[in-house]
Amino acid sequence: MMYAISSHTTRAAGQDTGNAPPKRKTVTTPKVERPKLHKVILINDDYTPRDFVTQVLKAEFGMGEDRAYQVMMTAHRKGVCVIAVYQRDVAETKATRATDYGKKFGFPLMFTTEPEE
Ligand code: TYC
């Protein structure tokens, strides 16, 4: 939740001020929701070569060799691995490009996205 930078003050409800300075409450108004980030998730399969997965992670997600290998092995062992989070359109574009790249070489490599909680 984002809150407006500006705020205003009000008298406490039902307050009779008399001569005393009025007690003031600060009211902060919620303005805009921060858009949710989306996870890109790598899904394991039995056919795509490990090297190929590692190359795609390096090319599409800017990972170094070691990180790409770790992520690939996590998906291999556990079935899935969260790669990174992005704005929704960026996450979807990257997941689609990476999945299409596998398809182009005849592999069932799959990347999905889902919103963060
Ligand atoms: N399980 C694949 C194999 O043994 C390698 C692999 C890892 C494929 C991760 C997809 O997301 C994946 N060749």
Side-chain angles (χ1 to χ4, degrees):
M1 176 75 72
M2 285 235 303
Y3 293 92
I5 302 216
S6 66
S7 58
H8 64 280
T9 55
T10 61
R11 284 205 178 95
Q15 197 183 359
D16 181 5
T17 59
N19 278 338
K23 286 212 185 90
R24 292 176 185 282
K25 276 184 178 170
T26 300
V27 178
T28 307
T29 315
K31 272 282 162 62
V32 276
E33 292 281 339
R34 195 197 303 280
K36 270 194 183 128
L37 292 172
H38 285 239
K39 299 182 273 195
V40 176
I41 300 161
L42 171 63
I43 314 286
N44 186 39
D45 67 72
D46 291 339
Y47 303 102
T48 309
R50 293 182 187 191
D51 268 3
F52 185 87
V53 180
T54 305
Q55 293 310 316
V56 174
L57 291 171
K58 286 162 70 176
E60 187 58 43
F61 298 95
M63 293 182 194
E65 179 72 30
D66 292 357
R67 175 83 186 126
Y69 183 79
Q70 274 179 15
V71 166
M72 180 279 294
M73 285 307 291
T74 299
H76 176 72
R77 293 197 180 108
K78 300 194 164 186
V80 293
C81 183
V82 175
I83 294 172
V85 295
Y86 302 97
Q87 285 180 349
R88 183 167 76 146
D89 56 341
V90 176
E92 285 172 355
T93 300
K94 283 180 176 289
T96 301
R97 279 170 53 107
T99 299
D100 287 351
Y101 194 70
K103 218 176 274 173
K104 197 168 122 182
F105 286 85
F107 298 127
L109 183 61
M110 174 84 103
F111 295 79
T112 62
T113 66
E114 68 176 55
E116 273 196 324
E117 304 77 50

